[in-house]
Amino acid sequence: MPRRRPRALREEQALSHVGGPTPPFRIHGLSTGASLAVHRIEGLSRGSSIHPGATDRALRRYREFLHPPGRRPLYPQEAFCSCSWCSFDDVRHARDVLNEVLERLPERARGELGRLVKPLDALFLRRTLPDPFAHRRPWRARLWLYRRLADRSEWG
Ligand SMILES: [Zn+2]
């Protein structure tokens, strides 16, 4: 009995990680049920850009990007580093992550998260400018996020 305990404990921890809540337990603006659904998707999506906590982080990043008051246009920036942590520096990656999560969520939770994201999308479109050369980048041009003018000055 005592010999089996560590293993049972590990299995319990593994289970709670995949199926149950991981901190942050409640995603700001979402019900407990929808937060749980999000955590479940994140736990099951290992190896992709959706890791535990990714949705909360993506939402915060999206809000933070749109936060500066006023009418000055905002320019998304490419991330310096493409690792799964730094990728969020590019707000468009954050929005991509939200999209992936939305696609995988069950209907009700998807509706809730969608209602949080929609006004942010509207604000994003108001605060960014259309890129007149978007058609030259066909693989990105079909994604509306990448059709907006970005700040590429750091990249020459
Ligand atoms: Zn990095």
Side-chain angles (χ1 to χ4, degrees), residues 17-68:
H17 207 67
V18 172
T22 48
F25 179 75
R26 175 90 175 258
I27 292 168
H28 185 74
L30 285 188
S31 69
T32 309
S35 297
L36 268 170
V38 165
H39 291 309
R40 204 167 291 130
I41 299 292
E42 289 175 345
L44 293 170
S45 305
R46 292 296 174 79
S48 73
S49 48
I50 306 173
H51 50 78
T55 311
D56 192 63
R57 190 156 177 232
L59 270 175
R60 284 168 196 274
R61 178 68 188 107
Y62 202 14
R63 289 196 190 106
E64 175 199 59
F65 175 79
L66 298 166
H67 184 69

Side-chain angles (χ1 to χ4, degrees), residues 58-155:
L59 270 175
R60 284 168 196 274
R61 178 68 188 107
Y62 202 14
R63 289 196 190 106
E64 175 199 59
F65 175 79
L66 298 166
H67 184 69
R71 297 169 152 267
R72 186 173 60 83
L74 300 171
Y75 300 94
Q77 275 184 16
E78 282 185 44
F80 280 104
C81 166
S82 62
C83 81
S84 62
W85 181 258
C86 300
S87 295
F88 282 84
D89 291 345
D90 186 338
V91 67
R92 295 164 299 183
H93 172 79
R95 183 58 183 84
D96 281 342
V97 165
L98 290 172
N99 215 42
E100 278 184 59
V101 173
L102 281 167
E103 279 172 9
R104 291 173 204 203
L105 279 176
E107 201 179 329
R108 193 176 168 153
R110 190 195 306 144
E112 271 193 44
L113 183 59
R115 279 193 290 281
L116 288 186
V117 171
K118 207 176 166 188
L120 298 175
D121 284 348
L123 196 53
F124 183 87
L125 283 173
R126 269 209 304 281
R127 296 294 302 269
T128 57
L129 301 168
D131 181 354
F133 299 109
H135 63 279
R136 292 195 187 167
R137 302 188 308 278
W139 70 274
R140 285 192 152 179
R142 64 198 166 80
L143 303 168
W144 63 272
L145 275 174
Y146 292 94
R147 283 180 154 161
R148 316 303 289 178
L149 266 187
D151 183 2
R152 280 181 291 260
S153 57
E154 291 149 308
W155 300 87

